[in-house]
Amino acid sequence: MTSDATPATPATLAPPLAVADWFALRPLAARTWLVAEPGHVNCFLIEGDERAVLVDTGLGLADIHAAARTLTDRPVLAVNSHGHDDHRGGNWLFDDIAAHPAAAPAVTSAVAPQRLAAYLGVAREQYAAYRRRRADDERFFHQFTAETTPRPVPPAADAWTVPAGPTPAPLTDGQRLDLGGRELTVLHTPGHSPDSLCLFDERAGLLFAGDTLITGDFWVHQPDAAIEIFAATLRTLHQRLAGSIREIFPAHTLRYRVGPDFLRRAADAFDQVAAGRAPGRPGTDLLRRPALRHDFADFSILRPLPAGVTPTDPAPARSADGVPAGTGMSSVWRERGEPLVGPVADGALTGLRVAVKDLFAVGGYRVGAGNPTWLALAPVEPRDADAVAMLRAAGASIVGIAQTDELAFGLSGVNVHYGAPPNPAAPDRVTGGSSSGPAAAVAAGQADIGLGTDTAGSVRVPASVCGLYGLRPTPGLVPTGGLLGLAPSFDTVGWLAADADVLRGVGEVLLPSGPPPDGEPTKPTKLLVVDSAGLVTVAARLADVLGADLVVGPVREDDDVDGLLEAFRVVQAAQAWRLRGGWIRAHPGALGETVAARFRVGATIDADVEQAAARRIAEGRARLLDRLGLTTWVVRPAAGGPGHPRDAGRDDTEAWRRATLRATVVASAYGLPSCVVPTEPSGRESGGPGRAAPVGAAIVGPPGADRLLLDAAVAFGRPGAT
């Protein structure tokens, strides 16, 4: 092995972050230091008289070679505890590397950019979580120190690369590394991975454990891990080192040192799990990959999730407001604060809290679009989306960025990466989507306003099945700058609220005040309702408060709803593929299969088919508007019934989706404003023990009737309205 006095750093390459800003350095024992990337990975420098050993080289986000050089002037041998990305990221900064032979293929290869991007997304989530907890910690707990405080991940980190490292010298079990007056013994400890190693300073009683011992989640759910081997390794290690360990230094979490009894407790726990004596629960790991979690007092063991078991417990314990206990609201919120972003002025919305769908730019944050890969690759937004800025200018606070179906192409609200948000109004049913997070937040009282989007029903459906008010405005009235769209011909900015006055108040801010270009609608003189929809009672009540005539019967110009729906789906899919197809091709496997299949339909539609479908929509719109004029409104179902059960199978879910699209497509395809009002739960379908699932009615008006629809919702919602 050669000296690393002049490391073989590629001439044009350097880690993106400054050493002083990223690492935490702390003495642990005589000539022994913590070299931490707090919250990410703990590396350790061990110095002898002649040379030093650095246990792991971390992520590679900052120059760990330079950090080590501030602590020792001895030649440094970097030893990889195993070959995973977060333990070899700085190998390329050193000439002198050693590892188990099985680690060589990994550490001599570059790390794929998509893996780095995905980790940056998690790192930024972690820092946001720390920021939320920091004030409470300073007041009550005092757990964070200089060595355990996570560092922010600035935009400069987006330039992070991990090139191939040099070929490591092989290490074998029992081999001794002579540092000069100090010796380390190599211990081969397979289980987390076949190439896992620990280093033991027998004289000082210090065990440098890598990922063999973890004060958090033991990852045994990945393909290179094995529970039986891990259990045998820990039992053997405990027997081999019994009575000789003084301290253990794990590679992860903020607890970078533990006592010798931790090894015994971990060995006992692995024995229980391997023997099938420890209960497990469905869950996820740090990267939200599914796992079966076996929880112990201060650590957990993660194993592969059995086939047919979903990461989300289908029947979790619930709090009084219907939100599943212990979820941390991660299926609702991607970012959350009190507030996350405050108002910029006082105004009509002062004191109101907004949950922003994760498709809108919020300055200082990324747009995640309901997909971890998209989030990881997204830039930090320099400014708010237009609608977000307008709400903040009117006094509203942004309390969080809320989840969505992937890239907004869904109606259930079920996201394969983040789960299904709880529906407090019907705990056994979905929230609907794709504005699922904002709807769940408003229904749970976590926000007053849910800012969402509506292409095919993504505001109307959640409003209906969560018992809320919601508005899909006339397309083009609310600016869409800073919004990640789906199908531009049909995309609109919409919003939800539990209170009709709040819904109208948002309209006063977001809707333009002048007359629409197609003429000024007036209060309706006629209200049409389809008898078979079961909405006659609701429509009669609405007609009464509006002073309009009620007409019960079919709306002749949209009798062929199935034909209209097919035309709508053709145009929507074609536009969605043009917008996102390039990204989808570049990131195979990033989307859940159901959503990916919807996008792929667009790739098969040729221009003639799309143009014919667009003509069908335009002709149908002209016929309907000619009949309705400016004074006739229509009452329609807002969805295909209550939200489908959370545990519904694929066939039932697809049937519900189609029924819902048939209910929403007239307003979606024809560009009409539609306001959803909650009705009394039907009582026909249960939303949980002792509860009826809510349904809503959609009031559809002519283009530009948005403010009148909001006024109607307020009148309809007043106590005593009959």
mmCIF file of all heavy atoms in Angstrom, residues 293-309:
data_model
loop_
_atom_site.group_PDB
_atom_site.id
_atom_site.type_symbol
_atom_site.label_atom_id
_atom_site.label_comp_id
_atom_site.label_asym_id
_atom_site.label_seq_id
_atom_site.Cartn_x
_atom_site.Cartn_y
_atom_site.Cartn_z
ATOM 1 N N ARG A 293 -41.396 -4.350 9.565
ATOM 2 C CA ARG A 293 -40.639 -3.752 10.661
ATOM 3 C C ARG A 293 -40.855 -4.545 11.951
ATOM 4 O O ARG A 293 -41.989 -4.746 12.378
ATOM 5 C CB ARG A 293 -41.057 -2.303 10.882
ATOM 6 C CG ARG A 293 -40.887 -1.390 9.679
ATOM 7 C CD ARG A 293 -41.232 0.046 10.035
ATOM 8 N NE ARG A 293 -40.326 0.561 11.043
ATOM 9 C CZ ARG A 293 -39.203 1.201 10.785
ATOM 10 N NH1 ARG A 293 -38.842 1.422 9.530
ATOM 11 N NH2 ARG A 293 -38.426 1.632 11.759
ATOM 12 N N HIS A 294 -39.753 -4.944 12.568
ATOM 13 C CA HIS A 294 -39.774 -5.573 13.887
ATOM 14 C C HIS A 294 -39.169 -4.563 14.858
ATOM 15 O O HIS A 294 -37.961 -4.291 14.816
ATOM 16 C CB HIS A 294 -38.964 -6.874 13.891
ATOM 17 C CG HIS A 294 -39.459 -7.896 12.913
ATOM 18 N ND1 HIS A 294 -40.389 -8.862 13.239
ATOM 19 C CD2 HIS A 294 -39.149 -8.090 11.607
ATOM 20 C CE1 HIS A 294 -40.624 -9.616 12.177
ATOM 21 N NE2 HIS A 294 -39.896 -9.169 11.175
ATOM 22 N N ASP A 295 -39.981 -3.975 15.728
ATOM 23 C CA ASP A 295 -39.556 -2.867 16.573
ATOM 24 C C ASP A 295 -39.144 -3.363 17.954
ATOM 25 O O ASP A 295 -39.877 -4.124 18.606
ATOM 26 C CB ASP A 295 -40.684 -1.848 16.705
ATOM 27 C CG ASP A 295 -41.063 -1.225 15.364
ATOM 28 O OD1 ASP A 295 -40.153 -1.031 14.536
ATOM 29 O OD2 ASP A 295 -42.256 -0.947 15.158
ATOM 30 N N PHE A 296 -37.974 -2.866 18.408
ATOM 31 C CA PHE A 296 -37.482 -3.148 19.743
ATOM 32 C C PHE A 296 -37.300 -1.816 20.471
ATOM 33 O O PHE A 296 -37.708 -0.777 19.965
ATOM 34 C CB PHE A 296 -36.188 -3.962 19.663
ATOM 35 C CG PHE A 296 -36.410 -5.339 19.079
ATOM 36 C CD1 PHE A 296 -36.386 -5.534 17.702
ATOM 37 C CD2 PHE A 296 -36.690 -6.418 19.900
ATOM 38 C CE1 PHE A 296 -36.626 -6.786 17.158
ATOM 39 C CE2 PHE A 296 -36.928 -7.682 19.364
ATOM 40 C CZ PHE A 296 -36.895 -7.866 17.991
ATOM 41 N N ALA A 297 -36.727 -1.826 21.651
ATOM 42 C CA ALA A 297 -36.735 -0.632 22.489
ATOM 43 C C ALA A 297 -36.090 0.571 21.811
ATOM 44 O O ALA A 297 -36.651 1.667 21.826
ATOM 45 C CB ALA A 297 -36.027 -0.931 23.815
ATOM 46 N N ASP A 298 -34.912 0.397 21.218
ATOM 47 C CA ASP A 298 -34.234 1.549 20.628
ATOM 48 C C ASP A 298 -33.665 1.251 19.246
ATOM 49 O O ASP A 298 -32.743 1.919 18.789
ATOM 50 C CB ASP A 298 -33.129 2.069 21.555
ATOM 51 C CG ASP A 298 -32.127 0.991 21.942
ATOM 52 O OD1 ASP A 298 -32.382 -0.194 21.652
ATOM 53 O OD2 ASP A 298 -31.086 1.334 22.547
ATOM 54 N N PHE A 299 -34.204 0.251 18.584
ATOM 55 C CA PHE A 299 -33.834 -0.033 17.207
ATOM 56 C C PHE A 299 -34.922 -0.894 16.584
ATOM 57 O O PHE A 299 -35.803 -1.420 17.286
ATOM 58 C CB PHE A 299 -32.466 -0.730 17.101
ATOM 59 C CG PHE A 299 -32.375 -2.036 17.848
ATOM 60 C CD1 PHE A 299 -32.799 -3.233 17.276
ATOM 61 C CD2 PHE A 299 -31.842 -2.069 19.130
ATOM 62 C CE1 PHE A 299 -32.715 -4.432 17.961
ATOM 63 C CE2 PHE A 299 -31.754 -3.269 19.828
ATOM 64 C CZ PHE A 299 -32.198 -4.455 19.242
ATOM 65 N N SER A 300 -34.871 -1.029 15.278
ATOM 66 C CA SER A 300 -35.821 -1.861 14.540
ATOM 67 C C SER A 300 -35.062 -2.722 13.548
ATOM 68 O O SER A 300 -33.981 -2.350 13.071
ATOM 69 C CB SER A 300 -36.849 -1.002 13.791
ATOM 70 O OG SER A 300 -37.628 -0.235 14.682
ATOM 71 N N ILE A 301 -35.622 -3.873 13.234
ATOM 72 C CA ILE A 301 -35.057 -4.774 12.229
ATOM 73 C C ILE A 301 -36.025 -4.811 11.060
ATOM 74 O O ILE A 301 -37.205 -5.138 11.231
ATOM 75 C CB ILE A 301 -34.832 -6.181 12.807
ATOM 76 C CG1 ILE A 301 -33.833 -6.126 13.967
ATOM 77 C CG2 ILE A 301 -34.346 -7.138 11.721
ATOM 78 C CD1 ILE A 301 -33.706 -7.431 14.744
ATOM 79 N N LEU A 302 -35.526 -4.478 9.875
ATOM 80 C CA LEU A 302 -36.362 -4.421 8.675
ATOM 81 C C LEU A 302 -36.099 -5.653 7.823
ATOM 82 O O LEU A 302 -34.946 -5.961 7.503
ATOM 83 C CB LEU A 302 -36.055 -3.157 7.861
ATOM 84 C CG LEU A 302 -36.794 -1.871 8.253
ATOM 85 C CD1 LEU A 302 -36.593 -1.529 9.725
ATOM 86 C CD2 LEU A 302 -36.331 -0.708 7.378
ATOM 87 N N ARG A 303 -37.182 -6.335 7.462
ATOM 88 C CA ARG A 303 -37.102 -7.521 6.612
ATOM 89 C C ARG A 303 -37.972 -7.321 5.378
ATOM 90 O O ARG A 303 -38.825 -6.422 5.347
ATOM 91 C CB ARG A 303 -37.573 -8.760 7.385
ATOM 92 C CG ARG A 303 -36.725 -9.096 8.597
ATOM 93 C CD ARG A 303 -37.290 -10.305 9.302
ATOM 94 N NE ARG A 303 -37.230 -11.488 8.465
ATOM 95 C CZ ARG A 303 -37.947 -12.596 8.682
ATOM 96 N NH1 ARG A 303 -38.784 -12.661 9.688
ATOM 97 N NH2 ARG A 303 -37.822 -13.629 7.868
ATOM 98 N N PRO A 304 -37.806 -8.150 4.345
ATOM 99 C CA PRO A 304 -38.669 -8.010 3.162
ATOM 100 C C PRO A 304 -40.136 -8.167 3.523
ATOM 101 O O PRO A 304 -40.500 -9.013 4.349
ATOM 102 C CB PRO A 304 -38.191 -9.146 2.249
ATOM 103 C CG PRO A 304 -36.798 -9.426 2.683
ATOM 104 C CD PRO A 304 -36.781 -9.192 4.159
ATOM 105 N N LEU A 305 -40.977 -7.356 2.910
ATOM 106 C CA LEU A 305 -42.413 -7.430 3.153
ATOM 107 C C LEU A 305 -42.973 -8.659 2.431
ATOM 108 O O LEU A 305 -42.708 -8.854 1.243
ATOM 109 C CB LEU A 305 -43.086 -6.166 2.629
ATOM 110 C CG LEU A 305 -44.491 -5.831 3.148
ATOM 111 C CD1 LEU A 305 -44.470 -5.583 4.641
ATOM 112 C CD2 LEU A 305 -45.019 -4.598 2.426
ATOM 113 N N PRO A 306 -43.711 -9.509 3.123
ATOM 114 C CA PRO A 306 -44.262 -10.700 2.457
ATOM 115 C C PRO A 306 -45.151 -10.327 1.286
ATOM 116 O O PRO A 306 -45.784 -9.271 1.262
ATOM 117 C CB PRO A 306 -45.068 -11.384 3.572
ATOM 118 C CG PRO A 306 -44.486 -10.877 4.841
ATOM 119 C CD PRO A 306 -44.044 -9.471 4.556
ATOM 120 N N ALA A 307 -45.196 -11.197 0.293
ATOM 121 C CA ALA A 307 -46.041 -10.970 -0.884
ATOM 122 C C ALA A 307 -47.495 -10.800 -0.464
ATOM 123 O O ALA A 307 -48.001 -11.512 0.403
ATOM 124 C CB ALA A 307 -45.911 -12.144 -1.857
ATOM 125 N N GLY A 308 -48.154 -9.829 -1.073
ATOM 126 C CA GLY A 308 -49.564 -9.600 -0.787
ATOM 127 C C GLY A 308 -49.825 -8.665 0.375
ATOM 128 O O GLY A 308 -50.972 -8.307 0.636
ATOM 129 N N VAL A 309 -48.781 -8.243 1.094
ATOM 130 C CA VAL A 309 -48.938 -7.315 2.217
ATOM 131 C C VAL A 309 -48.512 -5.938 1.749
ATOM 132 O O VAL A 309 -47.459 -5.771 1.141
ATOM 133 C CB VAL A 309 -48.093 -7.752 3.427
ATOM 134 C CG1 VAL A 309 -48.244 -6.760 4.571
ATOM 135 C CG2 VAL A 309 -48.489 -9.147 3.874
#
